[in-house]
Amino acid sequence: MTKTTVVVHSLGNIGRNVIHSLESAPDMECLGVVRSKGSVGTRPLDLRGLPDFADLADLEKARGKPRVAILCGPSRLVPDAAKAYHAAGVSTVDSFDIHDEIGNLVAALDATTKAAGCAAITAAGWDPGTDSVLRALFEAMTPVGTTFTNFGRGRSMGHSVAARAIPGVADATSVTIPIGGGRHSRLVYILPETGADQEAIRKNLAADHYFAHDPLDVRFVATADELAAVMDSSHGVLLERTGASGIASNQILKFDMRIDNPALTAQILVSCARAVTRMEPGCHTLIDIPPVKLLPGDRMDHIKRLV
């Protein structure tokens, strides 16, 4: 079996879990990790024996050209990283999670992938991502109705990364608390840098796109140990739709899951790294992709087993 060659871009929570998922994927081969120059050679246990490189050119010289790059850095860095890989003819998958910017990103990456003859799957986490697929299926089943997506209670990786980027923040974690009806509050624990202006941190956090639309509770901690006590990776979602199928109303659909956030996101990215090699040039999201393309093995075998 010819394996799909993959590079992991960035070695944070998602990157480490992507490596774990790749290890158990029978049709994938990870060539290495691309990370910042200052990080190369550090955290060898997290690399699981893989080589790391400062850029794609160095990796290609040592290991050959990968077919797919799995982008595991912060969402705000995804557009530039994806375009750089596309320019080199490498397809990408990412878990970009800034919902109201996804349309523009799809259009931008559609242009770069088609110009290079490769493909991209963006917004490929569990929300946006697999939850998006479920919302689409719910609407197909009950075209008239209302869907609520209720997250948590649990730690949001995207919001936590955004909080850490605020000036004066040494470390942070953001917990999503469902209010109901698709509304949420954000509980953010902040470890400030020595001498940081806590009121300025509050104001900058409240103005950040990730936090500006929800009730926000900011709590400062004094030590890294205090922060570690609330940095659990669990999360979850409850999707609820009440709608009508034809003239039959009061159809009630629900999907509920409780998960380890980075592990599930990573597994979805690895499945999408498989699917992106089966897609035409252009940028796609999970609602564009037949589910069978996410699975290893033969299509007809899956049809016989699952349909």
Side-chain angles (χ1 to χ4, degrees):
M1 172 175 53
T2 301
K3 295 189 176 185
T4 298
T5 52
V6 176
V7 56
V8 175
H9 181 92
S10 187
L11 192 65
N13 285 330
I14 299 296
R16 294 195 300 273
N17 279 276
V18 163
I19 290 171
H20 299 161
S21 292
L22 286 169
E23 287 176 336
S24 61
D27 55 343
M28 300 277 180
E29 179 187 2
C30 185
L31 299 183
V33 177
V34 168
R35 53 205 301 229
S36 64
K37 186 175 182 180
S39 298
V40 172
T42 65
R43 291 163 55 185
L45 292 179
D46 292 333
L47 288 165
R48 308 277 293 186
L50 291 170
D52 57 348
F53 305 90
D55 54 39
L56 175 62
D58 288 347
L59 179 141
E60 190 170 349
K61 288 176 185 176
R63 303 297 312 277
K65 182 177 179 178
R67 190 170 180 187
V68 181
I70 301 180
L71 308 183
C72 304
S75 285
R76 286 167 172 152
L77 302 182
V78 161
D80 288 343
K83 291 171 186 177
Y85 280 103
H86 300 161
V90 178
S91 294
T92 60
V93 300
D94 66 72
S95 56
F96 186 87
D97 69 348
I98 306 174
H99 287 258
D100 59 5
E101 295 182 16
I102 291 171
N104 290 335
L105 181 60
V106 169
L109 299 189
D110 199 58
T112 58
T113 50
K114 286 179 178 177
C118 56
I121 300 175
T122 193
W126 55 272
D127 205 304
T130 49
D131 284 357
S132 310
V133 176
L134 288 162
R135 284 190 287 267
L137 288 173
F138 278 12
E139 288 195 20
M141 297 162 72
T142 56
V144 177
T146 304
T147 302
F148 294 116
T149 304
N150 304 287
F151 298 113
R153 183 180 189 270
R155 180 185 174 200
S156 168
M157 292 182 295
H159 287 79
S160 298
V161 170
R164 292 187 200 109
I166 299 295
V169 174
D171 202 356
T173 193
S174 178
V175 178
T176 300
I177 301 172
I179 299 172
R183 297 170 299 158
H184 307 86
S185 66
R186 311 292 176 180
L187 171 57
V188 185
Y189 293 91
I190 300 287
L191 177 64
E193 294 176 348
T194 302
D197 184 335
Q198 294 189 5
E199 188 56 33
I201 291 173
R202 287 181 188 274
K203 289 181 179 179
N204 288 330
L205 195 67
D208 186 273
H209 181 84
Y210 273 90
F211 300 96
H213 310 294
D214 302 310
L216 176 63
D217 181 4
V218 180
R219 302 183 186 181
F220 291 92
V221 299
T223 67
D225 288 341
E226 286 183 64
L227 189 62
V230 297
M231 290 185 72
D232 178 58
S233 293
S234 62
H235 210 338
V237 70
L238 172 63
L239 292 175
E240 300 176 294
R241 182 170 178 83
T242 301
S245 306
I247 62 172
S249 59
N250 295 319
Q251 308 280 60
I252 298 174
L253 312 177
K254 291 186 179 184
F255 172 77
D256 189 3
M257 73 176 184
R258 297 292 178 265
I259 47 90
D260 180 290
N261 192 355
L264 183 62
T265 301
Q267 183 60 64
I268 294 167
L269 284 169
V270 170
S271 295
C272 286
R274 176 180 301 115
V276 78
T277 67
R278 300 167 173 175
M279 302 299 291
E280 294 296 321
C283 183
H284 315 272
T285 69
L286 271 165
I287 65 171
D288 298 310
I289 300 167
V292 73
K293 293 185 182 293
L294 298 164
L295 303 176
D298 179 72
R299 170 178 170 266
M300 287 306 301
D301 288 342
H302 293 309
I303 290 173
K304 293 173 184 177
R305 182 173 60 88
L306 296 172
V307 177

